[in-house]
């Protein structure tokens, strides 16, 4: 019979129990959850940050005639990567798959005119606001739209999965038809081409439509919301969120983000952005 020194069995039993607990606990953690805590270190180690950007939303982000990426979100992403000291890899996205790309670890962050909302905060984290815009129901100047009731009998173009989609769905009265398109570029094309007359868009995109088709004479009619945009990140990625928040604070302090905004949007950055927010 083997005799164990006093306390050995208890220590071994406890150690075995603890090892079993750790294996069990790790088994319940998804790979993405396990990786979240070291995202910032992993980005620095790889020398690359993957940023999801929708390249169909001028002047926020788009490709010009030479297929070069342009826009305020593109310049913001380039500046963030430069200050982090890593290469920028743009992950093309749209309004519907921005969050799925993030949650499946195919992007490290999202910089894609994404509004900070309570509903999205249930799934992902946001940085403090770095940008923003007002969104409206827009229609031709000649069309009388003063209240939601005036939308009865009208088709309203909107991009699927955006806050505009959620807002107009709540606002639209019975008898109004919300027509959803897969990205902002397609939504705007539908209006520019005359397929649709009423739309729910940001003020800057309303202006883009008027530039492409001056005959439309779109104007904002009904305010949907004043939106603040944040950098989207996975939940509990504390180190990365802290770095991004400090970066936004510093770049707002230096005026760089304001300069980028005015260059592409032709307006001053919303005052609410400078106040901090989330």
């Amino acid at each position: 019979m083997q005799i164990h020194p006093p306390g050995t069995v208890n220590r071994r039993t406890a150690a075995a129990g603890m090892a079993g607990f750790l294996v069990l606990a790790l088994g319940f953690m998804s790979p993405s959850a396990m990786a979240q805590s070291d995202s910032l270190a992993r980005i620095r180690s790889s020398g690359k940050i993957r940023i999801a950007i929708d390249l169909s939303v001028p002047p926020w982000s788009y490709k010009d005639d030479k297929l070069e990426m342009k826009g305020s979100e593109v310049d913001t992403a380039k500046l963030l990567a430069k200050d982090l000291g890593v290469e920028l890899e743009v992950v093309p996205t749209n309004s519907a798959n921005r969050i799925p790309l993030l949650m499946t670890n195919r992007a490290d962050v999202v910089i894609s005119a994404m509004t900070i909302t309570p509903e999205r905060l249930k799934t992902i984290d946001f940085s403090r606001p770095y940008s923003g815009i007002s969104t409206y129901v827009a229609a031709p100047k000649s069309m009388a739209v003063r209240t939601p009731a005036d939308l009865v009998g009208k088709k309203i173009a909107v991009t699927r999965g955006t806050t505009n989609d959620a807002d107009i769905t709540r606002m639209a009265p019975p008898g109004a038809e919300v027509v959803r398109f897969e990205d902002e570029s397609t939504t705007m094309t539908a209006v520019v081409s005359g397929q649709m007359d009423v739309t729910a868009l940001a003020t800057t995109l309303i202006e883009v439509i008027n530039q492409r088709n001056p005959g439309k004479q779109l104007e904002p009619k009904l305010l949907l919301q004043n939106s603040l945009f944040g950098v989207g990140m996975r939940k509990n990625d504390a180190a990365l969120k802290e770095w991004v928040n400090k970066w936004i604070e510093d770049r707002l302090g230096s005026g760089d983000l304001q300069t980028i905004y005015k260059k592409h949007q032709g307006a001053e950055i919303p005052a609410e952005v400078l106040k901090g927010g989330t």
Side-chain angles (χ1 to χ4, degrees):
M1 182 177 67
Q2 184 177 2
I3 300 176
H4 301 281
T8 301
V9 173
N10 289 340
R11 288 195 297 271
R12 288 179 179 175
T13 301
M18 179 59 70
F21 171 80
L22 290 173
V23 169
L24 183 63
L26 290 173
F28 281 107
M29 292 176 66
S30 67
S32 60
M34 294 171 65
Q36 284 174 12
S37 61
D38 66 352
S39 289
L40 180 60
R42 178 172 49 78
I43 290 166
R44 284 174 165 157
S45 175
S46 68
K48 177 177 67 178
I49 184 167
R50 301 165 301 166
I51 300 182
I53 304 176
D54 185 348
L55 294 169
S56 68
V57 195
W60 301 99
S61 42
Y62 61 99
K63 288 187 177 181
D64 64 13
D65 295 339
K66 298 179 181 178
L67 299 181
E68 294 179 351
M69 295 183 295
K70 301 289 184 180
S72 55
E73 301 294 66
V74 173
D75 282 359
T76 298
K78 287 180 177 179
L79 183 60
L80 185 148
K82 175 177 175 290
D83 288 347
L84 189 51
V86 297
E87 175 189 351
L88 168 63
E89 178 183 327
V90 172
V91 180
T93 186
N94 58 42
S95 57
N97 71 6
R98 292 175 296 190
I99 292 176
L101 281 175
L102 188 62
M103 298 307 295
T104 55
N105 197 30
R106 287 179 285 171
D108 297 311
V109 300
V110 178
I111 298 180
S112 191
M114 188 159 62
T115 302
I116 302 168
T117 68
E119 188 63 28
R120 286 172 176 160
L121 281 167
K122 294 177 183 177
T123 305
I124 65 171
D125 267 350
F126 281 97
S127 69
R128 60 168 286 171
Y130 68 91
S131 185
I133 197 66
S134 295
T135 54
Y136 285 84
V137 173
K141 190 174 182 178
S142 58
M143 184 181 292
V145 179
R146 298 183 180 86
T147 70
D150 294 324
L151 297 173
V152 173
K154 295 179 173 59
K155 293 182 178 181
I156 307 159
V158 71
T159 303
R160 188 185 307 277
T162 61
T163 54
N164 302 336
D165 185 358
D167 291 341
I168 192 59
T169 299
R170 284 191 293 267
M171 178 184 285
E177 181 182 355
V178 177
V179 181
R180 295 173 176 85
F181 297 89
E182 295 307 314
D183 54 52
E184 298 282 25
S185 179
T186 309
T187 302
M188 290 189 291
T189 298
V191 181
V192 170
S193 66
Q195 179 184 348
M196 306 287 292
D197 286 325
V198 184
T199 185
L201 285 174
T203 51
T204 51
L205 300 186
I206 295 168
E207 188 58 34
V208 169
I209 290 173
N210 285 333
Q211 290 171 2
R212 293 181 180 177
N213 184 352
K216 295 301 295 185
Q217 292 190 311
L218 283 192
E219 66 178 13
K221 299 286 189 178
L222 304 173
L223 177 67
L224 291 172
Q225 67 168 286
N226 293 308
S227 301
L228 293 177
F229 301 155
V231 177
M233 292 168 277
R234 286 180 288 275
K235 282 284 187 185
N236 303 319
D237 215 343
L240 182 59
K241 182 176 180 179
E242 181 180 1
W243 187 93
V244 172
N245 277 337
K246 182 63 167 58
W247 176 80
I248 293 171
E249 180 183 348
D250 290 346
R251 285 305 186 179
L252 285 173
S254 66
D256 292 297
L257 291 178
Q258 293 93 314
T259 298
I260 289 173
Y261 190 94
K262 189 165 187 178
K263 172 186 174 182
H264 294 281
Q265 307 298 326
E268 299 296 335
I269 201 166
E272 291 83 357
V273 173
L274 304 178
K275 296 176 183 178
T278 300

